[in-house]
Amino acid sequence: MTRKAKKKLNLVLSYLVIFAIGFIMLYPIIWMFFAAFKTNDEIFGHISLLPSTFSFQNFIDGWNGTVIPYSQYFINTALLVLPTTLFTIVSCSLVAYGFARFQFPGKKILFAILISTLMLPNSVIIIPRYTLYNKFHWLDSYLPFYVPAILACYPFFIYQLIQFMRGLPRDLDESAYIDGCGTFRVFWQILLPLMKPALFSAALFQFMWTYNDYFNSLIYINSVKKFTVSLALRLSLDAESVVVWGKVLAMAFVAVIPLIVLFFAAQKYFVEGIASSGLKG
Amino acid sequence: MNKKKKIRSYRKRDYQAFIYIAPWLIGLIVLQLYPFISSLYYSFTEYQITSKPIWNGIQNYVTLFTADKEFLTSLWVTIKFSLMTVPGKLILALAIAVFLNRNLKGINLIRTLYYIPSLFGGSIAIAMLWKVMFMDNGVVNAMLGAIGIKGISWLGDPKVALITICSLEIWQFGSSMVMFLAALKQVPSSLYEAASIDGAGKIKKFIYITLPQITPIIFFNMIMQTINALQTYTSASVITNGGPMKATYVMGLKMYKEGFSYFKMGYASAISWVMFALILVVTLLLFRSSSSWVFYEDEGEF
């Protein structure tokens, strides 16, 4: 075999391996989509991927299968996730600006605290937070999600935005100051537009994490009419003695669609956000 | 040499920083430091949410480690879970990142596809999917049957159930992989060229160039993944609910049960502090050892 042919064969084999692994990884998701059309008999004990008929009955039954329809759960989820994401971005970018562009007394120690809170696990603060919210009568509302976002309790995003801001030339600020701009105007009109990619990627991750969150919603929200999609899914699992899995999977699939759509619409920001997030850590 | 003591003078403008970091400062004190300290305090008390906490010294911890078999089980299960998922995920992510790190056409598409499972994180939808697929008569066993392998009781066998839960976690190696790929791209090619001239082979290059260059990112990932793994909750709760025979009863489940089903806040706080102590020990050990294996090109001066 010539060297060239050998190289080509190598390349073809590489692609085969890559796509085989990719296929195995994505198979569960593909299977979930088709299983959403199946009956229990078809889901269990069969290996065929395709359902016998493409009937949307599972989706209709699942959608209306709990006390209130899924449309309400989706509205609730939007009411929880979207403001939380927006608040996070606004507060974290302001705090990042404070850290990245000013030399203030106590900065080193505060920055060290910021970094150490990166490793502060949620479990260790959740009980006092719960009792605190209980005292404020915030339980069973979305305030336990909004308030930490407003108060920039997400050191990960602050850190990421600081890193990004440090990459922007300081001359921009200085020349704006000479032109008589105040600090807020520098932030708002000069830095913020340049930070769009970083803000966008932080927003995507906060959206994804809040959307997927189950533990916190479980603890803070208890009336069904305020349930998010995550909690509703749990409900549909416990609702009946004989679980109609097609229905459950249909709703599980509907629940992951927003993430998939968002991912494909904005994959550049996802992948770049991930790639840059820990590099200089 | 005359050493001038540097006195930093702050400009008037610099004090405005406090306005910008004010939300974070308030959040730090009210929603992070206060809960952090009070959960330590609660852990030494008997505290039902309806009444005031009553000091009872180290009683909670004594009960946890001597009388509460369920807790000791959960501690052990959590450690096993972390020992399987963190290295499993990182090794897989690194291996595939290294494999993908060359001039391949369509690398962006491949990266995207591999990342998809990570999108779903700890989502309940995917945990439900895992539950259906790994049931005794589920599709996984059906597939094994088709190639002549006898089915395994993925969720029912205490020896296997934890592995099934771990597999869900390891499946989501994509985000670490993307980070590693980005780090690999930053390794200066001049290093490889120099090594080639010295006659180093592929494996030598990997061990002496690639690995040292990307240790900071491996280190960062290891710590973050460990913190997450020790707190895991959703998958064990949804897929097996801690069973069979407590084989997947992680500490997150135990804490939830004591704190939010029985409202024994003091006892649950003690559990959360054991969890935190574990995280602290692991992090410190990693940091301690890091000086011998993590390579920083520049000390990030801030």
Side-chain angles (χ1 to χ4, degrees), chain B residues 23 31 42 103 119 132 136 144 166 185 214 246 273 278 295:
Chain B
L31 293 179
Y42 291 163
N103 287 323
L119 274 182
V132 183
D136 282 353
L144 289 178
C166 291
K185 286 264 179 305
I214 63 169
K246 305 267 176 240
W273 268 82
L278 213 56
F295 169 83

Side-chain angles (χ1 to χ4, degrees), chain A residues 15 18 45 103 123 183 267, chain B residues 10 16 105 112 114 137 231:
Chain A
Y15 274 108
I18 287 167
Q103 291 301 331
S123 330
T183 52
Q267 48 162 309
Chain B
Y10 298 103
Q16 292 184 22
K105 276 205 185 94
T112 304
Y114 280 31
N137 51 356
Q231 299 184 80

Side-chain angles (χ1 to χ4, degrees), chain B residues 167-239:
Chain B
S167 73
L168 170 56
E169 196 69 32
I170 295 170
W171 179 60
Q172 301 174 335
F173 67 84
S175 63
S176 303
M177 185 207 75
V178 170
M179 278 197 220
F180 291 155
L181 255 179
L184 289 171
K185 286 264 179 305
Q186 306 239 315
V187 179
S189 56
S190 57
L191 291 178
Y192 291 115
E193 282 153 23
S196 295
I197 293 167
D198 292 344
K202 265 188 181 164
I203 295 167
K204 273 206 162 153
K205 276 188 206 162
F206 178 75
I207 293 174
Y208 292 108
I209 299 174
T210 315
L211 267 184
Q213 287 280 325
I214 63 169
T215 42
I217 189 90
I218 297 179
F219 182 61
F220 173 82
N221 257 278
M222 209 183 248
I223 288 180
M224 287 308 177
Q225 304 280 3
T226 309
I227 293 176
N228 283 335
L230 291 173
Q231 299 184 80
T232 188
Y233 174 82
T234 307
S235 50
S237 157
V238 173
I239 300 175

